[in-house]
Amino acid sequence: MVAFSGLDEDAALLQQRIGHFHNVREEILRQVREVIVGQQEVLDQILIALFVGGHCLLTGMPGTAKTLMVRSMADALGLEFRRIQFTPDLMPSDITGTDIIEEDLATGHRKWTFVEGPIFGNILLADEINRTPPKTQSALLEAMQEHSCTVRGHIYQLPAPFFVLATQNPIELEGTYPLPEAQLDRFLFNSILGDLSADDELRVIDRTTTTHQTKIEAVTSAEDLLDFQQLVRMVPIAETLSRYIVSLVRATRPKNESAPDFVKKYANYGASVRAAQFIVLAAKARALSHKRYHVTYEDITAMVLPVLRHRILLNFHAESDRVDADDILRQLLSHVPRPREN
């Protein structure tokens, strides 16, 4: 086994932690597959987000089991689950909570008491997040970045671990608001749920139109997930691969000298350094999930699209030529030279 970075503990103990990681991951997938048919790539991305400590945005048409997928994953993780159904009249205080005045019946004195909102859980399902105006969407910004929220000048820490798994409908649908770029940047992944195969759709019908019911059992705990997040960060990555990631991210910025012509033509803005951080962490989690103990080129390229597709702001030329972010990123992967792996 390749030595992990920062390794200062007994090798047998580390091997035990790695074995527990793989056992838990396989059991989570087994439990969730009892309910969810297909969408293996999306399930893998959600698990990577959880093992990294990031947030995940699920984009798909209505009826693609986005909400069911998140709820099933939360049940398998055994964490405190909260749900917010985003609507046009939702207020920020409906998410964070608010202060109320309570009267002490014995003394007659009144005092402010903070009532926690649904954000105070381990897994927050932000369902149809783009059906509420940006003012309310922004209530999640501090929570997603700092794992805290501020109400009337008081800062309240959120429980650890804390994940936002948000679902959104394509912005072309009626009644949707585009998410602000600052909020999109907080999501590790933008995972796209595509159409199922004909065989998978038949399996969905067989499972959901009978009296069969599946109960998902919790297979892990908050302590396990926090340990997994530390384990992922110990996976080493070669400097040549880190430089390659930086080159990729910098090439998405149209004003950067390394940006290719097609990026300068179609993009207004590219990804920030946070994108490079997320690609490294996601690649480490993917490598460990595939029972490798160092990051490979394939780990990086597999993570580029879900990490970057929501961080590139396209212009009217792209819309006119029907070019989307995925098209640009695939060209970019072909354009930037493959690094030498040590």
Side-chain angles (χ1 to χ4, degrees), residues 7-277:
L7 178 60
D8 59 357
E9 61 181 298
D10 184 77
L13 177 58
L14 179 60
Q15 192 67 46
Q16 183 180 0
R17 292 172 63 190
I18 294 173
H20 183 54
F21 171 88
H22 291 306
N23 291 337
V24 168
R25 179 181 180 276
E26 290 303 317
E27 185 60 20
I28 291 173
L29 286 175
R30 188 188 71 80
Q31 293 273 352
V32 174
R33 285 195 190 108
E34 294 294 321
V35 178
I36 300 299
V37 176
Q39 306 292 1
Q40 182 58 47
E41 184 177 2
V42 176
L43 290 175
D44 287 339
Q45 290 171 7
I46 293 176
L47 279 177
I48 287 174
L50 297 175
F51 294 149
V52 166
H55 313 289
C56 192
L57 179 64
L58 306 177
T59 303
M61 295 293 290
T64 50
K66 300 185 296 295
T67 303
L68 179 62
M69 184 180 295
V70 174
R71 183 179 291 278
S72 301
M73 190 69 72
D75 291 341
L77 292 169
L79 302 179
E80 185 174 358
F81 174 74
R82 303 287 184 90
R83 173 180 176 174
I84 303 174
Q85 184 65 49
F86 280 73
T87 58
D89 59 348
L90 195 72
M91 298 298 293
S93 59
D94 296 328
I95 298 174
T96 61
T98 188
D99 284 322
I100 63 172
I101 297 178
E102 285 190 338
E103 183 175 350
D104 189 328
L105 297 179
T107 63
H109 294 161
R110 296 182 178 181
K111 63 178 181 179
W112 287 100
T113 301
F114 179 67
V115 178
E116 294 181 351
I119 203 173
F120 286 86
N122 296 120
I123 293 185
L124 175 66
L125 168 57
D127 209 6
E128 296 188 300
I129 189 173
N130 61 335
R131 289 198 179 277
T132 196
K135 175 183 177 181
T136 303
Q137 293 171 0
S138 65
L140 287 175
L141 283 176
E142 180 185 358
M144 294 174 67
Q145 183 65 28
E146 308 295 338
H147 291 189
S148 65
C149 71
T150 303
V151 179
R152 294 185 64 251
H154 298 284
I155 298 176
Y156 300 93
Q157 294 297 319
L158 301 179
F162 173 73
F163 308 104
V164 175
L165 300 179
T167 70
Q168 72 168 357
N169 297 312
I171 60 173
E172 294 82 6
L173 297 188
E174 185 175 353
T176 58
Y177 301 84
L179 290 178
E181 285 77 11
Q183 185 167 356
L184 281 172
D185 197 45
R186 263 70 172 185
F187 285 102
L188 170 65
F189 289 140
N190 180 8
S191 301
I192 307 296
L193 281 80
D195 294 330
L196 298 176
S197 66
D199 290 339
D200 283 343
E201 288 195 17
L202 184 60
R203 291 172 60 196
V204 170
I205 293 174
D206 290 341
R207 288 187 182 184
T208 58
T209 59
T210 65
T211 58
H212 174 73
Q213 292 185 342
T214 301
K215 181 175 176 57
I216 295 180
E217 302 290 340
V219 299
T220 188
S221 64
E223 291 74 18
D224 279 343
L225 281 175
L226 293 173
D227 181 65
F228 296 159
Q229 290 173 15
Q230 292 300 315
L231 194 62
V232 164
R233 288 175 176 267
M234 295 171 65
V235 176
I237 180 172
E239 182 181 351
T240 53
L241 294 179
S242 295
R243 289 185 179 275
Y244 172 71
I245 292 172
V246 171
S247 298
L248 271 177
V249 172
R250 290 175 65 84
T252 66
R253 305 167 190 165
K255 294 183 179 180
N256 190 279
E257 59 184 12
S258 64
D261 291 339
F262 58 86
V263 170
K264 294 178 180 179
K265 177 180 179 180
Y266 291 126
N268 278 338
Y269 298 99
S272 69
V273 67
R274 181 182 284 143
Q277 294 172 315

